[in-house]
């Protein structure tokens, strides 16, 4: 391997071990995750097209915004963060592991100078008896010490929770485990949707790529209902579902209510209440200004219809009673949008019980057609998101590891105490991996007790 090759590999290694790379990736992931919060994920295409233009839909779809957490660029960021965490761990773990498994047990002069907490005092008695007294004291007040003799001095070393130094690696491992669970879910799971008419069942789901997935069972929508606020906004929509195996209801999965945030899960497949709609039809009567040449027109709830003059119309919304919106009027009404052959469009409200208003609107424009609303036949369907994620339990395992790691990182510290007995002098030093202020208070109290113990006074 040439010098240039070594230099390149060293630069690449340093790049992946960089804390700056970690911060950049974390910030980038956090910022891009906002997209997944603002833009609904996994919604059927027709629902997106109701809110944004076809051009924006194509752009967002190309960028993967509708399935952001499975997009190639988001997964690439996760891979880079995984490599970064592994590289950082490999680089720093050997030193930490040596600190835990091969601690310095001798309080030499060099170590003594580096410790923030050191105290010395004279103590009488034989060195063996003094060592036994200090050993018993440390075992009772702190931890069982390890005894070492070096250069005529007796050394005692005790430590608590040395493994907490690995807490950061637990966090690193938890992130990697979560990524692995996410990848398993991405590779072996799927997300899709189904629209089920009331009284009907489905056995297949449609993915975002419009691929059919066989569920292995059927889901029957027995009933769908929706409640509204006074403003007309939907308050709650609920589906009553039953799972069918070989055409028969599965015990325990009959008449299950499904609302937002309360899904149904069966055989690892979860059904979330997502949307609803009307797949029925609307009936209109189209005439000229004199009321002649009447032509019945049926408009599907999810489509449009062509009028006798060549224009087209579709229904925006309907109400069974117009009175709350237009005092003095009553009966059903429909808000429709008419598209003229020349490209112009117009929105207008047409009534069932007030044909004179329909005629008056047509006369304002100087020509027909006159459109009368004749009613509707509603047929509701429920829209469900379907998700299968075999990696979800691995993700939960990663979350548990993260909680353990974060708890250890914030609330535990590696505390060490050294004691040297030499020429009738007892020297004690101590250090902690974090929270030095609290450890100093503990160390001072422990030193006072040790002085009392070695002096022979009663505590």
């Amino acid at each position: 391997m040439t010098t240039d090759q070594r230099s390149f590999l060293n630069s690449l290694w340093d790049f992946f071990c960089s804390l700056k790379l970690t911060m950049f990736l974390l910030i980038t992931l956090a910022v891009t995750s906002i997209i997944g919060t603002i833009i609904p994920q996994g919604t059927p295409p027709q629902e997106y097209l109701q809110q944004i233009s076809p051009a924006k839909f194509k752009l967002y779809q190309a960028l993967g915004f509708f399935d952001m957490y499975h997009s190639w660029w988001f997964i690439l960021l996760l891979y880079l963060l995984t490599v970064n965490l592994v590289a950082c761990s490999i680089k720093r773990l050997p030193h930490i592991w040596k600190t835990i498994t091969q601690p310095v047990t001798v309080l030499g002069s060099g170590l003594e100078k580096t410790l923030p907490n050191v105290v010395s005092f004279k103590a009488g008695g034989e060195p063996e008896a003094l060592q036994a007294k200090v050993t018993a004291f440390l075992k009772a007040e702190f931890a069982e010490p390890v005894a070492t003799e070096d250069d005529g001095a007796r050394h005692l070393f005790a430590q608590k929770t040395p493994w907490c130094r690995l807490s950061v690696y637990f966090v690193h491992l938890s992130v990697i485990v979560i990524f692995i669970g996410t990848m398993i879910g991405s590779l072996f799971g799927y997300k899709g949707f189904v629209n089920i008419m009331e009284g009907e069942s489905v056995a297949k789901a449609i993915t975002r790529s419009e691929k059919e997935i066989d569920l292995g069972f059927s889901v029957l929508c027995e009933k769908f209902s929706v409640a509204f606020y006074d403003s007309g906004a939907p308050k709650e929509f609920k589906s009553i579902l039953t799972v069918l195996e070989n055409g028969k209801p599965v015990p325990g999965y009959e008449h299950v209510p499904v609302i937002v945030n309360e899904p149904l899960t069966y055989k690892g497949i979860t059904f979330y209440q997502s949307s609803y709609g009307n797949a029925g039809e609307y009936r209109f009567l189209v005439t000229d200004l004199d009321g002649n040449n009447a032509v019945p027109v049926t408009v599907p709830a999810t489509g449009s219809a062509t009028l006798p003059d060549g224009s087209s119309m579709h229904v925006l919304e309907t109400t069974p009673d117009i009175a709350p919106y237009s005092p003095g009027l009553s009966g059903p009404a429909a808000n429709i949008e008419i598209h003229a052959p020349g490209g112009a469009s117009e929105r207008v409200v047409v009534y069932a019980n007030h044909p004179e208003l329909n005629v008056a609107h047509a006369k304002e424009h100087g020509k027909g057609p006159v459109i009368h609303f004749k009613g509707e036949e509603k047929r509701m369907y429920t829209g469900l998101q379907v998700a299968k994620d075999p990696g979800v339990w691995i993700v939960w395992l990663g979350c548990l590891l993260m909680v353990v790691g974060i708890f250890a990182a914030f609330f535990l510290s590696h505390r060490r105490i050294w004691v040297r007995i030499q020429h009738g002098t007892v020297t004690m030093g101590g250090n902690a991996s974090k929270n030095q202020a609290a450890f100093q208070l503990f160390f001072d109290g422990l030193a006072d007790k040790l002085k009392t113990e070695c002096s022979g006074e009663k505590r």
Side-chain angles (χ1 to χ4, degrees), residues 72 115 140 201 249 281 294 324 380 449:
W72 68 267
L115 295 178
S201 63
E281 57 186 25
M380 302 300 294
K449 291 180 182 179

Side-chain angles (χ1 to χ4, degrees), residues 194-203 218-225 238-244 253 255-256 258 264 271 273 275-277 379-384:
V194 292
N195 291 331
I196 313 177
M197 305 294 296
E198 279 187 311
E200 296 184 2
S201 63
V202 297
S218 299
V219 179
L220 169 67
C221 177
E222 298 187 24
K223 186 179 180 182
F224 176 82
S225 61
K238 177 171 63 176
S239 303
I240 305 298
L241 305 180
T242 293
V243 178
L244 305 176
Y253 293 89
H255 320 300
V256 180
V258 175
L264 164 67
F271 298 85
Q273 184 67 67
S275 61
Y276 67 93
R379 194 180 181 199
M380 302 300 294
Y381 68 85
T382 180
L384 304 173

Side-chain angles (χ1 to χ4, degrees), residues 170-217:
F170 271 88
V171 177
H172 288 182
L173 178 62
S174 70
V175 173
I176 295 172
V177 170
I178 290 173
F179 290 168
I180 291 173
T182 303
M183 291 301 101
I184 290 176
S186 177
L187 293 174
F188 302 104
Y190 58 82
K191 287 186 178 181
F193 60 91
V194 292
N195 291 331
I196 313 177
M197 305 294 296
E198 279 187 311
E200 296 184 2
S201 63
V202 297
K204 295 181 179 181
I206 307 297
T207 65
R208 298 178 182 88
S209 59
E210 299 186 355
K211 177 184 176 182
E212 286 191 348
I213 299 292
D214 190 356
L215 298 175
F217 55 90

Side-chain angles (χ1 to χ4, degrees), residues 121 161 164 364 376 408:
F121 57 89
T161 59
C164 75
E364 286 179 5
E376 63 181 305

Side-chain angles (χ1 to χ4, degrees), residues 432-451:
S433 60
K434 60 177 72 74
N435 199 357
Q436 296 290 345
F439 179 76
Q440 183 176 357
L441 294 175
F442 169 79
F443 180 85
D444 292 342
L446 191 67
D448 291 340
K449 291 180 182 179
L450 181 59
K451 289 178 183 178

Side-chain angles (χ1 to χ4, degrees), residues 287-292 358-364 366-370:
T287 69
D288 54 25
L289 290 174
D290 298 326
N292 300 322
N358 301 330
V359 174
H361 177 270
K363 287 183 176 179
E364 286 179 5
K367 60 178 183 177
V370 180

Side-chain angles (χ1 to χ4, degrees), residues 8 88 263 314:
F8 170 75
C88 289
H314 66 272

